[in-house]
Amino acid sequence: MVLYKLEDFEPNYRDAFEGHDISGLGVYTQGTDEKIGTVSDVLVDEEGHFRYLVVDLGFWIFGKKVLLPIGRARIDYNVDRVYTIGLTREQAEDLPEFNERQALDYDYEERVRGVYRQPVNSTNTLDASAPVEASIPVDTTYQPTTTTPIYNRDSYNYEHEPSLFGLNEQDHQTLKLYEERLIASKHRQKTGEVSIGKRVETDTARVTVPVERERVVIERVTPADAGTAVSGREADFREGEVARLEIHEETPDVRKEAFLREEVRVRKVVDQDTVETQETVRREELDVNSGNFPIEER
């Protein structure tokens, strides 16, 4: 049977105890009201049932920590105290010391249980004002006997010893009222997709280019001295004389170049909105049927 520290088993255990913290409560003997130590921790089993209180016996035995079975303790939050049932100084001295660094095994627990099985001088009624749930049969009185039963390590169960591990809920019962609350959360889901790409379109562009073309103009004119005789040397008759002129013209030379026209920037914008939803929730209310008995609510 594996035992766990309460805080390791359930870090938020204080919520179940309405903010109360068991650790730090003073431990007193029932009847004599003598302080014997302080609760330093709580050990629970795999199902979360309280099994032991770890008690620092600094007021009785300096520096010693021992285990106190939950059935031998009564927790009173009204005075922030834990009362032990039938624990004597002699028993405390006989208890094996609890060491957090050492694992708890059956043999160690048997040594602890063996001390508490020893008979004491009085019979004490068990109590459990702490809001601890127990799903085991309850023996309402601790009645030690001189005959120690023989337990088997393979079949031992805490329910075998209700005088050590049972909780009496007869006089102190806790009725828990529950209610449902709406817990709002959000989840993301895909509602669509936007695809942005490019395509190439063609168009016909026109450009005007001024060009020049050369042409030959032949003019025949009558000189002013037409009809005047010339000498034989001046008159040079040559056949086949030709005048040559080069003719040029301009033609348009058009090429294409790419230029940056614009940039397209794509981003997402989150719009904030508030969505209201409703659901039916349940709540438990206290229904008191007292008959003719007066009831005081606090």
Side-chain angles (χ1 to χ4, degrees):
M1 291 173 286
V2 182
L3 296 177
Y4 305 90
K5 289 185 178 181
L6 177 58
E7 191 162 7
D8 295 338
F9 184 85
E10 176 52 63
N12 299 322
Y13 72 90
R14 294 174 184 83
D15 296 340
F17 291 88
E18 300 179 352
H20 293 293
D21 195 351
I22 298 177
S23 298
L25 295 184
V27 182
Y28 293 80
T29 58
Q30 183 167 273
T32 61
D33 213 27
E34 177 185 6
K35 186 168 186 178
I36 64 175
T38 306
V39 176
S40 64
D41 220 322
V42 181
L43 301 182
V44 300
D45 62 14
E46 295 175 336
E47 297 180 355
H49 294 147
F50 281 30
R51 294 311 180 190
Y52 296 99
L53 300 181
V54 180
V55 180
D56 186 344
L57 298 176
F59 285 83
W60 264 7
I61 306 173
F62 179 76
K64 184 177 182 179
K65 291 183 179 180
V66 298
L67 297 184
L68 175 64
I70 192 65
R72 301 293 296 275
R74 181 174 65 87
I75 304 174
D76 190 346
Y77 282 118
N78 294 324
V79 293
D80 290 334
R81 287 185 176 187
V82 175
Y83 292 98
T84 65
I85 301 175
L87 179 63
T88 65
R89 180 186 291 269
E90 291 75 16
Q91 285 180 318
E93 293 176 349
D94 292 339
L95 283 170
E97 184 173 359
F98 173 73
N99 190 337
E100 298 179 356
R101 293 184 295 272
Q102 295 181 357
L104 298 180
D105 55 15
Y106 176 83
D107 293 331
Y108 175 83
E109 286 193 69
E110 267 300 292
R111 291 170 57 195
V112 174
R113 292 189 289 258
V115 174
Y116 287 103
R117 290 171 187 148
Q118 298 174 11
V120 294
N121 297 327
S122 60
T123 299
N124 301 279
T125 301
L126 296 181
D127 200 350
S129 58
V132 182
E133 295 184 358
S135 58
I136 57 178
V138 174
D139 186 1
T140 58
T141 58
Y142 170 61
Q143 297 177 339
T145 62
T146 56
T147 302
T148 302
I150 299 176
Y151 298 101
N152 189 308
R153 68 171 60 244
D154 297 326
S155 61
Y156 180 83
N157 195 294
Y158 293 112
E159 282 77 1
H160 294 162
E161 295 187 273
S163 61
L164 296 182
F165 302 103
L167 295 173
N168 177 27
E169 298 181 348
Q170 179 177 355
D171 298 324
H172 297 272
Q173 299 184 18
T174 299
L175 181 62
K176 296 183 178 180
L177 302 180
Y178 296 91
E179 69 176 7
E180 294 177 330
R181 298 180 181 178
L182 293 181
I183 306 300
S185 62
K186 300 183 295 184
H187 69 278
R188 294 172 62 90
Q189 63 180 9
K190 182 177 178 180
T191 58
E193 184 177 270
V194 176
S195 177
I196 301 175
K198 298 191 300 182
R199 70 177 185 273
V200 178
E201 294 185 353
T202 60
D203 199 359
T204 301
R206 291 178 173 83
V207 62
T208 301
V209 181
V211 296
E212 294 181 351
R213 294 185 179 91
E214 297 178 341
R215 60 188 173 90
V216 177
V217 178
I218 300 175
E219 296 183 9
R220 292 185 176 188
V221 298
T222 301
D225 56 353
T228 302
V230 296
S231 63
R233 292 180 303 170
E234 186 176 356
D236 185 12
F237 292 93
R238 291 180 295 179
E239 187 178 354
E241 186 177 0
V242 179
R244 296 182 182 277
L245 296 176
E246 291 184 356
I247 306 300
H248 298 86
E249 72 173 7
E250 294 177 337
T251 59
D253 184 10
V254 180
R255 70 182 191 275
K256 295 185 289 185
E257 291 184 2
F259 295 88
L260 178 64
R261 181 166 63 93
E262 65 176 328
E263 288 183 347
V264 178
R265 298 178 180 177
V266 180
R267 61 191 178 93
K268 295 191 298 183
V269 177
V270 178
D271 295 328
Q272 299 289 340
D273 197 2
T274 301
V275 178
E276 182 176 339
T277 184
Q278 64 182 17
E279 185 61 61
T280 302
V281 296
R282 298 174 298 174
R283 182 178 64 252
E284 294 181 338
E285 295 290 347
L286 190 63
D287 187 7
V288 180
N289 183 7
S290 62
N292 297 325
F293 296 96
I295 296 296
E296 177 185 357
E297 292 190 17
R298 298 183 179 180

